Amino acid sequence: MAIRGLDKIVRSVRAFGRTISGMPAATAASPIPSIGLALGGGFARGIVHVGVLKVLEEEGIPINFIAGTSVGALIGAAYCSGVSPAELEEIAARVRFRDLARWTLSRYGFATNLRMITFLKKILKVHTFEELQIPLAVTATDFGSGEGVVFRSGPLVDAVRASCAYPGVFLPVKVNGRLLVDGMLAHSLPTKPARDMGADKVLAVSLRSHWKTSDGGPRHIFDVIGQCFSIAQDVNCAQARTCADLVIEPDVTGFRYDDFERSASLVQIGEEATRAAIPAIRKWLEVEKVKHAVPATAMGASLEPISPK
């Protein structure tokens, strides 16, 4: 009799297994993707990145990785070190070209960004990549080989200075024996470094506007250099965009490379462009929970009552 009772139990369990086989789990949830933020270059126009970060924080959008080029590297380093968007906005309102660089006579450029050392040491809350609150990648370009260089460890200051060494304007920066210039040449929009860090989704901020003046002509040699690199940047960005899941393009038309005095307007433009993108970003964060309740009748229908023997 005991064997018959055991046999009924086995048959009942098998029948129950057949009933629920192929059905999804009671609660299926898709994992929340990690987000990488790629911040492009643009000198003073890059202040729009402050507005981008401000809105992302206000909307509770988690940023897991940041990759920055040129001014994107500077703002990214400050934010990852613990400087809040509100603090960044205050800094942007005060900073001027003279705080970051000084004119010089050199066969390698017209200015040196040595002053950036003091500036960065003053605003950064930590001074190495390893101490950052959010993982950061800073891009530069090897002047000799043309290869892209991505910093993710070691001291922050020289990596950021190298990323900001705009060719023809700023002197190249030597780091670890390599002569480096602006990361824009190798990674104008650092989407691949953000993806390489492990980001599931990459949000890129691109400043594609050419430098324009009221009469359409260049004012001086720096406008000529800037316009040439702006054209090259547009071509370079085409491939970088393929690594992005979403590209935000704040309209910075009419802003000069040295328009630090218009920081408030630039922050606002960054805010507006990011708010328009929030619905698309939120779709990445939707965790779909589908509960599949198994009806009690279905669960019990295949179970034969076992009478005590």
Side-chain angles (χ1 to χ4, degrees), residues 59-79:
E59 296 292 332
I61 305 298
I63 299 300
N64 305 98
F65 309 99
I66 293 181
T69 289
S70 199
V71 67
L74 192 158
I75 293 175
Y79 182 72

Side-chain angles (χ1 to χ4, degrees), residues 74-269:
L74 192 158
I75 293 175
Y79 182 72
C80 291
S81 78
V83 181
S84 70
E87 290 173 315
L88 283 171
E89 194 168 4
E90 292 177 4
I91 293 169
R94 299 193 309 265
V95 72
R96 296 293 183 267
F97 179 87
R98 62 179 176 272
D99 298 312
L100 306 173
R102 65 175 175 81
W103 301 111
T104 186
L105 291 176
S106 171
R107 55 183 175 174
Y108 297 127
F110 292 94
T112 172
N113 63 12
L114 281 171
R115 287 182 178 174
M116 195 176 290
I117 297 175
T118 302
F119 176 79
L120 289 170
K121 287 183 176 180
K122 182 178 179 181
I123 69 168
L124 294 178
K125 298 194 175 182
V126 300
H127 298 288
T128 66
F129 283 85
E130 289 80 4
E131 298 173 282
L132 294 171
Q133 297 179 9
I134 300 173
L136 172 72
V138 169
T139 70
T141 305
D142 187 300
F143 180 77
S145 66
E147 295 175 340
V149 178
V150 179
F151 292 94
R152 291 181 56 185
S153 63
L156 284 164
V157 171
D158 282 345
V160 173
R161 284 183 59 229
S163 188
C164 295
Y166 201 82
V169 178
F170 293 114
L171 277 59
V173 175
K174 183 169 285 189
V175 182
N176 298 329
R178 304 176 74 175
L179 199 60
L180 305 176
V181 292
D182 202 304
M184 182 192 67
L185 293 175
H187 295 287
S188 57
L189 191 60
T191 52
K192 187 176 184 301
R195 185 77 69 184
D196 290 344
M197 295 175 80
D200 298 313
K201 297 289 186 180
V202 174
L203 172 64
V205 184
S206 176
L207 309 178
R208 297 184 63 189
S209 172
H210 294 327
W211 297 359
K212 296 179 180 178
T213 56
S214 57
D215 61 358
R219 297 168 300 165
H220 41 58
I221 188 173
F222 302 115
D223 276 359
V224 174
I225 294 172
Q227 181 73 346
C228 290
F229 277 107
S230 180
I231 294 168
Q233 182 178 354
D234 278 357
V235 177
N236 193 348
C237 273
Q239 184 175 0
R241 284 164 173 269
T242 63
C243 268
D245 295 281
L246 180 64
V247 179
I248 296 176
E249 291 188 278
D251 185 3
V252 292
T253 302
F255 287 87
R256 301 189 312 273
Y257 71 96
D258 56 353
D259 261 344
F260 292 100
E261 293 84 355
R262 301 174 68 186
S263 66
S265 296
L266 287 164
V267 171
Q268 183 177 358
I269 288 171

